[in-house]
Amino acid sequence: MSTGRRSASTSLASENRSRPVPPLLYRRRSSDDIDNLATVSSSLLPAFGTIVDDANSLHLRKYIIAPYDRRYRWWQTFLVVLVVYSAWSSPFELAFKKVATGSLLPVDLAVDAFFAIDIVLTFFVAYLDKSTYLLVDNHEKIAMREHAFLGEKNHAPLRLNNTCHRARYVTKLWFPMDIASTLPFQAIYLLFTGKMHKGEAFGFLNLLRLWRLRRVSELFTRLEKDTRFSYFWTRYCKLICVTLFAVHSAGCFYYWMAVHHKKSDDTWIGAQVHDFEHENIWIGYTYSMYWSIVTLTTVGYGDLHAENTGEKVFNIFYMLFNIGLTAYLIGNMTNLVVHSAVRTFAMVNSSTALVMNI
């Protein structure tokens, strides 16, 4: 009797082992073990740098790109580098509009072209449905909405085949904002009129490129969940980037205020540099960054200070903003240090307990 049960259980275990694993999303490790990740949150799936076997595991429709494809991930990383440039150039071109129509114009056009290509690629990138953890590879659902596929006979892996209605790319704010942040307004005006526009409208329109900063936030979010990268240093780099962007933006806008004041000598920089508008651009940028950093760190040497009412009002709001930014930085750094100390303390306790048990 026991022999029959043993043989039955052995055959059942053998049948379970021979049963094929559902071809859901999986990642390849050095040991070639396949882990089913269907029940993992999409925010953690997959980690940054995951390698997916396109030919064997992702049976997507023609011309559809897997979001976890290594080449697409490199493309997204390259766009983040361009976002960093946009975050620097947009406030800079507002303050120093000579470069917006001069040396930086070809670079801006090239960067806008790359982001225009990415908008087109978005309509060919599958996405992970958060309710089923299946990849949706239908063009219409990717662009507009996910429609019901009740009774669908095609059960190819990684296809959505249940009822789900969710607004996607075109129906959200992302699509019009991506278009607006990519259009080269200055070049379009030049194409239709044959001359450069010298007003301030295009300088403020260029600030729409700051919409691209959400890509940097998404990158840091992904890196923070990747066990291959130090959480401490990832957060530390994020805090540095936030601080540098705040300093750069405030300095550029403060310089813009000085340029557009009625009397150039009655400004924070005009009182120090006579006829500063005709000086080298980098001299003005250096003064702007110096003022912004000194104000942020609350040093206040007094050599550069507000000379008119508009500058005083801006200084008030900038210092109030700095209070919140400083609290944010100190709070995050304290949390990181405490978290690191707790882990070290737990490791020491574990080691001590292990030695005492021995």
Side-chain angles (χ1 to χ4, degrees):
M1 187 70 175
S2 60
T3 305
R5 289 180 179 177
R6 187 181 299 109
S7 62
S9 61
T10 304
S11 62
L12 181 59
S14 176
E15 181 182 352
N16 290 336
R17 286 195 300 267
S18 61
R19 185 177 299 169
V21 179
L24 296 176
L25 187 64
Y26 59 83
R27 17 182 334 198
R28 183 196 302 157
R29 293 184 179 178
S30 58
S31 60
D32 293 331
D33 295 329
I34 304 302
D35 295 332
N36 191 347
L37 301 180
T39 59
V40 182
S41 170
S42 61
S43 63
L44 301 175
L45 173 64
F48 185 68
T50 295
I51 301 175
V52 179
D53 193 344
D54 298 54
N56 300 323
S57 62
L58 299 180
H59 304 286
L60 300 177
R61 299 185 183 184
K62 193 175 182 181
Y63 304 121
I64 294 295
I65 304 171
Y68 310 128
D69 185 273
R70 180 171 52 181
R71 293 164 295 182
Y72 184 69
R73 281 295 182 90
W74 279 112
W75 167 257
Q76 292 291 320
T77 305
F78 171 68
L79 291 182
V80 169
V81 176
L82 299 185
V83 170
V84 174
Y85 166 78
S86 299
W88 172 81
S89 65
S90 297
F92 186 79
E93 292 176 1
L94 175 66
F96 308 94
K97 60 181 180 181
K98 293 180 181 178
V99 297
T101 57
S103 58
L104 292 184
L105 181 59
V107 182
D108 291 340
L109 292 177
V111 172
D112 291 339
F114 281 115
F115 281 102
I117 294 173
D118 184 68
I119 292 177
V120 177
L121 284 179
T122 303
F123 293 94
F124 297 90
V125 179
Y127 68 93
L128 186 70
D129 181 75
K130 294 183 179 180
S131 60
T132 62
Y133 296 97
L134 301 176
L135 282 179
V136 180
D137 60 354
N138 183 282
H139 286 287
E140 184 177 353
K141 285 187 261 184
I142 292 173
M144 298 296 295
R145 287 180 179 270
E146 301 167 9
H147 297 289
F149 270 63
L150 295 176
E152 185 179 10
K153 295 182 180 180
N154 185 5
H155 294 283
L158 301 176
R159 299 264 182 93
L160 180 65
N161 54 11
N162 67 333
T163 305
C164 184
H165 297 273
R166 181 184 303 156
R168 291 303 299 167
Y169 185 54
V170 173
T171 56
K172 289 185 177 181
L173 179 65
W174 289 2
F175 179 66
M177 287 300 297
D178 282 346
I179 294 293
S181 63
T182 304
L183 288 176
F185 295 102
Q186 187 68 261
I188 294 174
Y189 182 86
L190 176 63
L191 180 65
F192 282 96
T193 63
K195 58 182 179 180
M196 287 289 183
H197 191 274
K198 301 298 183 181
E200 302 300 323
F202 290 112
F204 284 99
L205 287 175
N206 285 340
L207 294 179
L208 291 173
R209 297 171 184 168
L210 298 179
W211 168 256
R212 302 167 182 171
L213 285 174
R214 62 185 176 83
R215 294 176 181 269
V216 179
S217 177
E218 293 169 359
L219 174 65
F220 277 113
T221 301
R222 201 162 71 239
L223 290 178
E224 289 172 0
K225 293 180 174 64
D226 195 329
T227 57
R228 298 178 303 165
F229 295 90
S230 170
Y231 178 80
F232 177 88
W233 290 109
T234 302
R235 291 287 298 179
Y236 185 72
C237 291
K238 181 178 180 179
L239 296 177
I240 291 178
C241 291
V242 170
T243 305
L244 291 178
F245 177 71
V247 167
H248 171 73
S249 300
C252 289
F253 189 75
Y254 203 45
Y255 184 87
W256 178 87
M257 292 181 62
V259 171
H260 292 81
H261 194 263
K262 297 179 180 179
K263 298 179 180 179
S264 59
D265 292 336
D266 189 25
T267 59
W268 65 275
I269 188 174
Q272 297 287 331
V273 182
H274 180 69
D275 198 20
F276 67 93
E277 294 174 288
H278 298 90
E279 291 288 343
N280 187 279
I281 290 176
W282 298 108
I283 294 179
Y285 184 68
T286 302
Y287 271 82
S288 300
M289 293 301 100
Y290 171 77
W291 167 85
S292 186
I293 294 175
V294 166
T295 306
L296 174 66
T297 56
T298 66
V299 175
Y301 290 118
D303 50 349
L304 295 177
H305 55 273
E307 295 283 348
N308 55 69
T309 305
E311 292 176 352
K312 292 177 181 177
V313 172
F314 179 79
N315 272 268
I316 291 173
F317 284 102
Y318 183 51
M319 286 184 284
L320 291 175
F321 168 78
N322 287 339
I323 294 174
L325 179 61
T326 303
Y328 171 76
L329 296 175
I330 294 176
N332 274 269
M333 290 303 300
T334 303
N335 183 44
L336 291 176
V337 172
V338 170
H339 180 71
S340 178
V342 168
R343 288 193 305 170
T344 303
F345 183 73
M347 183 183 65
V348 171
N349 283 347
S350 300
S351 302
T352 304
L354 182 61
V355 171
M356 292 181 65
N357 290 334
I358 294 176

